[in-house]
Amino acid sequence: MVLTIKDLMSRERTYLPGSASCPGCGASLAFKLASKVLGRNTVYVVPACCFSVIQGPYPKTCINAPLINIAFAAAAACASGITRAHKITGRKANVVVWAGDGGTVDIGLQALSGAAERNEDMIYVCYDNEAYMNTGIQRSGSTPQKAWTKTTLGGKVQPKKEVPLIVAMHRVPYVATASVGYPMDLVRKFEKASRMEGFRYIHILSPCPPGWGMSSNKTAEMGKLAVDTCFFPLYEIEHGKLRVTVKPRERKPLKNYLLAQSRFRRTLSEADVEELEKEVVKKWNQLLELEKLDRIV
Amino acid sequence: MGEWKLINANQAAAHAARLARAAVIPAYPITPQTTVVETIEEFIHEGIMDAEYIRVESEHSAMAAAIGASASGVRTFTATSSQGLLYMGEVVFWAAGSRLPIGMVIVDRAVGPPWNIHTDHQDAMSQRDSGWIQMFVSSAQEALDSVITMYKVAENPEVLLPFMVCIDAFILSHTYMPVNVPDQAEVDSFLPTYRPPHWMLDPDLPVDMGNLVMPMEDYMEMRWSIHTSMEKAKELLNQISREFAERFGRDHGGLVKAVDLEDADVAIVSLGTLSSEAEYALKRIDTAKTGLLKVRMFRPFPREEIIKLLKDKDVVVVLDRSISFGHSGPLAMEVRSALYGIDEAPKVVNFIVGLGGRDVTYKDIVSMVNFAIKVPEDEVFPCYWYGLKDRIRSLRLKGVI
Amino acid sequence: MSESKEVEMVLPISYPSPGAMGKTGIWRVFKPVIDLSKCIKCWQCWLYCPEDTVVMEGDHPKIDYEYCKGCGVCKEVCRAGAISMIREGG
């Protein structure tokens, strides 16, 4: 079954309005879409991240599904405990980690790797806003090269950590990247993941208006441009087979994406843009090479 | 009833987890806890234990997984030691704050550096204020019986707090002792199936556990609630321990256990296996009528029992197998604070002993008691390091004997 | 100690409710207004709304102003140009 917008609209809400997220929050959009697919029969695990706040303060929550907050480094481990408990109680429910990039690619990487290696039955979602946004924009391992953050005032020196591929190397059943700029691609990936068993990983690019230095109405547009410039390619790896799910007919110039965000605008020279563009093209071609393989792992 | 086996306290702890029907066991190996993990693996491999065993990649993850499992409404067990407990520390607090009755055995081991795998209580003491119920035991049998007893206390709807049963490394963890391993049916009738509270992770009744709370909301009330439940646990432990003793014919005491204390003038107070050594020492002390108070439960602290049983003593000798650097032994601090303000309160003399597994024999305890009796009444806050090497002792420094 | 009574447990447990952060509509600086005569019912506004504050009324979209934070994403994605952002209180 392929879900349509109308199907999604008819589904019950898990994400109730009146949350604490910033206007135009990419992470909220990602959660709204994902939770429509996953439905109410889902248990969420949230480590320290923007979503710890977005839920809203005690004694209320805007998440209309069971959710446990857990320490920063511990999300995948906590979810392992839940999924194993379900084996004991016989409960059939999705167990979903909903974590930011810091809790995934940095402090939570060990627990993520452990759970992936054990092939624990869960969907691990990283909503990637490319910095520690909840603490006010500090660089993470997922911050792209040259991006300004409050701890990389001259632009980040190192490139972004390729965590989806790192997770894929654990030989898990499903890994995908997604962007809120391509919502129906995101929806299809959640649909596919929710029908599978074992460890599934979905990494969602989630634009952050205050963190990226753009106005709140640009969330969808930036999410789309990241893909259309091949800056953030969309692919999935099903049982080791990689497939690029969105291939721009004509790749858009990278500067359209970069210069629309002050986190890049304030650090980049023209030469830098060229340099980054070369890198983007190289990685895109590498990805197309990987797609030709029967299995990448 | 039950079956006599020659096993160590680690194996006894694994038997306890099996008999308690712990359903999810996330664990990570660390010396000297390792044989707990291995014995559980054997039970599962042999098919005599039906549990989800999660061979996690760290202690931090072990406790996080225990939290996830317990929050899903199943009985959960793990075990660790020393560095493992410290690494776990963040989520140890999280477990108590989440009000989840997780069971954990701590094989008390010194904390590095330098590396030292032998016993002291520094690891457990570091978690004193985490909101966990802390029990110290002095035999393999007591370890087994206490785990089973403590689940019943911790899971009480008015308690809902995690507990740790602390056993001394090697002295208990690797020493084989005759242990009566109860039958499953006996344990089942004492410790029924876990009935979790209604606020578990259940899609039919969604709750959000542990989300943000503002200062004007209930954070402080939640802390008060943990504190109140701790006090409740004291009441329950005495009651449930009595019930255990009646059912199983073994009485390890409640919050404390007194030995020859009633008409004694001097009392020794200690935790864990120091208590067994002290019990042996009692008969060899001829300078004063001496009794022993084994403190079994360290948190919640049995202050009422301490006051009742020690207020009339002349001298209270507190043996601490850990040190709060810059002050004194943690047990002595608690005993002193409990006795403060009592008319003609006993003189409390603290000894720091046996750190990093240094041997403490009954002879040492006899000589500490004899020393303590002679400490002048007007000496302020007597706290002595006992058993340091001669090259330190020869310096004749204050607080070193 | 006073007599033993059943004591209330204060738990770190919250329950789902709209408006967990209050009526977030008051955050708005600009208000999205849909011109229904232009609306082609492509539902992109619903799809992209980060707050799920576009709802279906009859067969057309309607904005839940009680909670809409006024981010303006719906205006950007509207295929028919049917949404305009109007300054609040203006």
Side-chain angles (χ1 to χ4, degrees):
Chain A
M1 185 181 110
V2 178
L3 290 171
T4 62
I5 298 180
K6 282 277 174 71
D7 294 331
L8 294 173
M9 289 174 72
S10 66
R11 299 234 170 152
E12 202 183 350
R13 275 177 167 165
T14 298
Y15 183 60
L16 306 175
S19 78
S21 68
C22 307
C25 174
S28 289
L29 175 50
F31 187 84
K32 182 197 84 171
L33 294 166
S35 61
K36 291 276 178 192
V37 182
L38 296 165
R40 269 277 295 277
N41 193 27
T42 303
V43 179
Y44 291 94
V45 179
V46 177
C49 61
C50 287
F51 247 81
S52 328
V53 176
I54 291 173
Q55 295 157 46
Y58 170 95
K60 289 181 179 177
T61 172
C62 73
I63 311 297
N64 193 17
L67 184 152
I68 182 165
N69 288 277
I70 192 72
F72 214 167
C78 181
S80 300
I82 295 170
T83 189
R84 298 298 192 94
H86 287 181
K87 289 207 167 108
I88 296 290
T89 58
R91 183 185 289 287
K92 301 268 178 251
N94 299 310
V95 177
V96 174
V97 171
W98 192 264
D101 47 301
T104 301
V105 316
D106 291 341
I107 194 169
L109 188 61
Q110 175 177 296
L112 165 61
S113 174
E117 184 264 338
R118 294 189 303 271
N119 196 27
E120 300 282 0
D121 192 18
M122 69 174 79
I123 302 175
Y124 188 110
V125 183
C126 171
Y127 67 91
D128 183 4
N129 49 30
E130 301 194 315
Y132 291 87
M133 296 310 187
N134 199 28
T135 44
I137 327 172
Q138 297 82 25
R139 65 91 86 181
S140 79
S142 205
T143 302
Q145 198 166 15
K146 289 288 171 188
W148 169 95
T149 67
K150 284 185 191 161
T151 53
T152 53
L153 294 176
K156 191 188 173 200
V157 177
Q158 303 82 3
K160 185 182 177 87
K161 205 190 273 192
E162 293 284 355
V163 171
L165 290 174
I166 292 171
V167 176
M169 290 301 135
H170 290 71
R171 297 170 181 272
V172 298
Y174 190 71
V175 171
T177 60
S179 168
V180 296
Y182 277 89
M184 293 315 283
D185 175 80
L186 183 152
V187 163
R188 274 191 294 276
K189 284 166 178 169
F190 272 90
E191 246 192 298
K192 186 176 268 187
S194 65
R195 287 198 303 263
M196 297 171 81
E197 279 179 14
F199 195 86
R200 293 144 284 167
Y201 179 83
I202 301 179
H203 192 109
I204 308 172
L205 185 70
S206 307
C208 169
W212 290 14
M214 61 187 208
S215 52
S216 62
N217 59 344
K218 295 291 179 195
T219 297
E221 188 187 329
M222 284 306 126
K224 191 165 184 308
L225 260 180
V227 178
D228 295 345
T229 56
C230 296
F231 187 79
F232 189 89
L234 298 185
Y235 60 86
E236 63 184 1
I237 305 164
E238 208 176 331
H239 300 294
K241 172 66 189 163
L242 185 142
R243 192 174 71 86
V244 179
T245 58
V246 176
K247 288 181 184 165
R249 233 170 254 155
E250 200 176 333
R251 194 180 62 78
K252 293 204 170 131
L254 187 61
K255 67 173 190 320
N256 294 11
Y257 178 68
L258 297 178
L259 301 182
Q261 303 168 36
S262 76
R263 63 170 174 160
F264 288 117
R265 213 163 46 227
R266 61 206 297 174
T267 70
L268 289 180
S269 65
E270 268 183 42
D272 288 335
V273 176
E274 268 177 46
E275 200 59 31
L276 288 177
E277 186 129 45
K278 272 189 215 156
E279 197 55 36
V280 160
V281 172
K282 195 175 100 190
K283 279 172 62 185
W284 173 254
N285 289 331
Q286 281 172 348
L287 199 63
L288 296 179
E289 288 302 313
L290 289 178
E291 194 179 28
K292 289 177 193 160
L293 301 175
D294 283 344
R295 291 169 68 94
I296 65 160
V297 57
Chain B
M1 296 264 260
E3 190 188 346
W4 285 96
K5 287 180 187 288
L6 189 64
I7 54 175
N8 60 41
N10 278 2
Q11 292 166 315
H15 276 289
R18 174 179 64 79
L19 291 165
R21 296 186 186 276
V24 174
I25 302 172
Y28 186 78
I30 179 170
T31 304
Q33 156 266 33
T34 339
T35 50
V36 180
V37 178
E38 290 173 353
T39 308
I40 288 170
E41 171 67 22
E42 282 166 26
F43 290 159
I44 289 172
H45 185 72
E46 288 163 14
I48 58 169
M49 184 170 182
D50 185 18
E52 283 294 321
Y53 193 21
I54 318 181
R55 289 92 173 166
V56 286
E57 76 295 336
S58 78
E59 289 91 353
H60 195 278
S61 284
M63 185 47 60
I67 289 169
S70 187
S72 304
V74 303
R75 193 172 282 151
T76 308
F77 176 84
T78 189
T80 192
S81 194
S82 181
Q83 310 298 134
L85 180 62
L86 297 195
Y87 187 46
M88 194 188 265
E90 180 191 25
V91 258
V92 167
F93 276 69
W94 205 275
S98 305
R99 309 305 303 263
L100 299 171
I102 296 163
M104 174 157 67
V105 162
I106 304 299
V107 185
D108 288 306
R109 162 187 150 181
V111 170
W115 287 120
N116 181 324
I117 57 169
H118 297 278
T119 201
D120 73 29
H121 297 155
Q122 200 80 12
D123 53 2
M125 288 300 163
S126 77
Q127 304 301 309
R128 183 193 66 182
D129 299 335
S130 62
W132 281 61
I133 298 168
Q134 291 185 307
M135 164 86 87
F136 286 79
V137 301
S138 53
S139 73
Q141 184 75 63
E142 192 182 355
L144 189 155
D145 296 346
S146 297
V147 169
I148 291 166
T149 306
M150 285 311 301
Y151 271 117
K152 194 159 180 165
V153 175
E155 290 170 0
N156 183 285
E158 289 184 68
V159 177
L160 293 176
L161 286 171
F163 70 88
M164 50 179 84
V165 171
C166 301
I167 66 179
D168 289 350
F170 296 103
I171 299 171
L172 290 182
S173 71
H174 286 63
T175 304
Y176 287 74
M177 296 165 245
V179 173
N180 186 282
V181 178
D183 298 335
Q184 184 67 63
E186 286 178 283
V187 176
D188 286 346
S189 71
F190 174 76
L191 178 68
T193 312
Y194 176 39
R195 283 177 180 278
H198 67 272
W199 44 268
M200 294 284 103
L201 294 170
D202 177 358
D204 296 328
L205 182 68
V207 295
D208 187 329
M209 297 186 178
N211 64 331
L212 202 66
V213 53
M214 305 304 277
M216 66 286 198
E217 279 297 348
D218 285 348
Y219 185 87
M220 206 164 152
E221 285 69 18
M222 289 171 200
R223 265 44 203 164
W224 166 82
S225 186
I226 292 173
H227 184 67
T228 312
S229 292
M230 276 279 186
E231 296 291 336
K232 182 71 190 177
K234 288 207 280 198
E235 192 183 311
L236 278 171
L237 182 81
N238 276 333
Q239 181 191 319
I240 293 171
S241 295
R242 274 196 301 277
E243 191 192 328
F244 185 94
E246 279 159 26
R247 293 263 192 127
F248 293 86
R250 291 188 291 275
D251 187 1
H252 304 290
L255 300 167
V256 297
K257 185 172 189 185
V259 181
D260 300 340
L261 197 57
E262 211 160 308
D263 51 359
D265 301 316
V266 175
I268 304 172
V269 183
S270 55
L271 299 167
T273 55
L274 280 176
S275 303
S276 329
E277 197 67 21
E279 191 169 346
Y280 190 72
L282 288 183
K283 303 178 196 79
R284 286 154 185 85
I285 297 165
D286 49 18
T287 45
K289 269 181 143 179
T290 307
L292 168 68
L293 187 65
K294 292 179 168 190
V295 175
R296 298 183 71 229
M297 202 179 233
F298 186 66
R299 275 296 179 276
F301 192 67
R303 64 177 110 73
E304 290 78 10
E305 281 80 356
I306 297 276
I307 294 167
K308 190 175 127 213
L309 295 167
L310 299 181
K311 65 177 176 1
D312 298 326
K313 305 301 166 203
D314 296 332
V315 183
V316 172
V317 180
V318 185
L319 309 181
D320 263 296
R321 203 158 203 154
S322 60
I323 171 72
S324 177
F325 296 113
H327 192 25
S328 73
L331 179 60
M333 281 194 256
E334 315 299 35
V335 171
R336 277 188 223 272
S337 75
L339 295 174
Y340 180 78
I342 287 168
D343 276 346
E344 293 184 42
K347 173 172 74 180
V348 178
V349 183
N350 183 202
F351 293 96
I352 308 300
V353 290
L355 302 188
R358 182 155 299 177
D359 209 10
V360 183
T361 68
Y362 69 91
K363 288 180 189 162
D364 296 320
I365 295 171
V366 171
S367 82
M368 281 184 269
V369 169
N370 289 337
F371 181 91
I373 291 167
K374 291 187 204 130
V375 168
E377 288 294 332
D378 58 353
E379 186 171 326
V380 178
F381 215 90
C383 174
Y384 296 93
W385 287 67
Y386 179 91
L388 290 172
K389 296 237 168 115
D390 286 347
R391 69 170 195 280
I392 307 288
R393 295 176 58 215
S394 65
L395 300 173
R396 302 188 177 282
L397 298 168
K398 189 170 177 288
V400 176
I401 60 164
Chain C
M1 281 235 295
S2 60
E3 66 193 285
S4 164
K5 318 180 221 200
E6 195 141 323
V7 184
E8 180 199 0
M9 280 267 217
V10 189
L11 300 165
I13 298 290
S14 294
Y15 292 91
S17 162
M21 199 59 193
K23 305 282 188 208
T24 50
I26 61 167
W27 298 8
R28 252 188 341 264
V29 180
F30 291 95
K31 172 181 184 171
V33 177
I34 306 174
D35 180 349
L36 289 177
S37 67
K38 289 188 189 167
C39 175
I40 56 169
K41 290 159 194 159
C42 63
W43 300 105
Q44 296 299 299
C45 52
W46 180 88
L47 185 64
Y48 282 95
C49 173
E51 291 299 307
D52 212 359
T53 49
V54 178
V55 293
M56 192 168 7
E57 193 179 63
D59 66 343
H60 61 267
K62 187 189 158 209
I63 286 158
D64 177 356
Y65 290 119
E66 206 172 8
Y67 294 112
C68 164
K69 293 170 182 170
C71 68
V73 167
C74 55
K75 175 188 182 292
E76 299 295 315
V77 299
C78 178
R79 289 176 180 167
I83 303 178
S84 25
M85 299 299 290
I86 312 291
R87 184 174 274 279
E88 286 284 350

